[in-house]
Amino acid sequence: SGGNKAYCIGDPVPSITASVGLDETVDWYNAPSGGTLLLMANTTYNPTAPGTYYAEARNTSTNCLSGARTAITVTRDTPSTASIGPNQSIFTGGNAIFTVTTTNADTYQWQVSIDGGVIFNTIVDGTEYAGAQSTSLAVKTADINKNGFRYRVLASRSGSGCPPTASASALLTVKVKTVITNRRITHRVNKS
């Protein structure tokens, strides 16, 4: 029987097996017709890389082909990238937006580190954050205590069974607005 077999990046390439009758054996090829014989007389093949492999069943008594070759495709099944946008710099009380770009992902979970990126904890939506499970995280009305926090996202594809891919982290800088007083006139300066 044909079909697809997926595996996670970091795992070994899985073996593939063709279903045949009791009086049949299988030869494995790299093309739907012709091509290179990869393995002879074995129902299981151990590929070394992802790709499409073709099983050709043969009757063991007559040595006649039992039908057309059956294709089995082996693919990697996990996000290949998770790239976070730039660091953010805001003034106290402002909002910061972090974004991520991924491939082959449909599930997202943002995390925050308050110790410079050593330990990351899961973020939930609420008064401080919005978009904790999307491609954009909003840090709402940040105060000075969030200065130096780092943010990253875990990206995965639902139903894949593979562990999520973590992006690099991005830094949040929160600055205090400066007040300059000159001749009894107060000027508010946005320090950059």
Side-chain angles (χ1 to χ4, degrees), residues 24 52 57 85 94-95 111 120 130 132 136 138 192:
E24 292 179 318
T52 301
N95 298 327
Q111 296 183 315
F120 282 88
S136 293
S192 51

Side-chain angles (χ1 to χ4, degrees), residues 123-130 138-143 145-146 149:
I123 294 173
V124 295
D125 288 340
T127 57
E128 296 181 70
Y129 299 105
V139 182
K140 302 189 287 186
T141 57
D143 53 26
N145 72 347
K146 285 190 173 62
F149 281 17

Side-chain angles (χ1 to χ4, degrees), residues 22 82 117 168 176:
L22 291 175
V176 178

Side-chain angles (χ1 to χ4, degrees), residues 2 13 23 34-35 42 45 54-55 61 113 146 155:
V13 182
D23 58 346
N42 199 322
Y45 178 64
Y54 299 87
S61 303
S113 173
K146 285 190 173 62

Side-chain angles (χ1 to χ4, degrees), residues 75-170:
T75 57
R76 288 187 176 135
D77 193 5
T78 192
S80 57
T81 62
S83 302
I84 199 163
N87 295 335
Q88 299 293 311
S89 182
I90 60 172
F91 289 104
T92 52
N95 298 327
I97 306 288
F98 291 96
T99 58
V100 69
T101 304
T102 62
T103 58
N104 196 29
D106 62 8
T107 304
Y108 311 95
Q109 179 59 65
W110 285 90
Q111 296 183 315
V112 61
S113 173
I114 62 173
D115 61 5
V118 177
I119 297 172
F120 282 88
N121 294 302
T122 299
I123 294 173
V124 295
D125 288 340
T127 57
E128 296 181 70
Y129 299 105
Q133 294 183 330
S134 71
T135 56
S136 293
L137 175 73
V139 182
K140 302 189 287 186
T141 57
D143 53 26
I144 195 66
N145 72 347
K146 285 190 173 62
N147 183 51
F149 281 17
R150 298 195 77 85
Y151 295 88
R152 75 175 184 185
V153 71
L154 301 178
S156 58
R157 190 164 67 82
S158 30
S160 74
C162 295
T165 296
S167 70
S169 63

Side-chain angles (χ1 to χ4, degrees), residues 31-47:
S33 64
T36 303
L37 175 64
L38 303 172
L39 181 65
M40 198 164 138
N42 199 322
T43 56
T44 299
Y45 178 64
N46 296 306

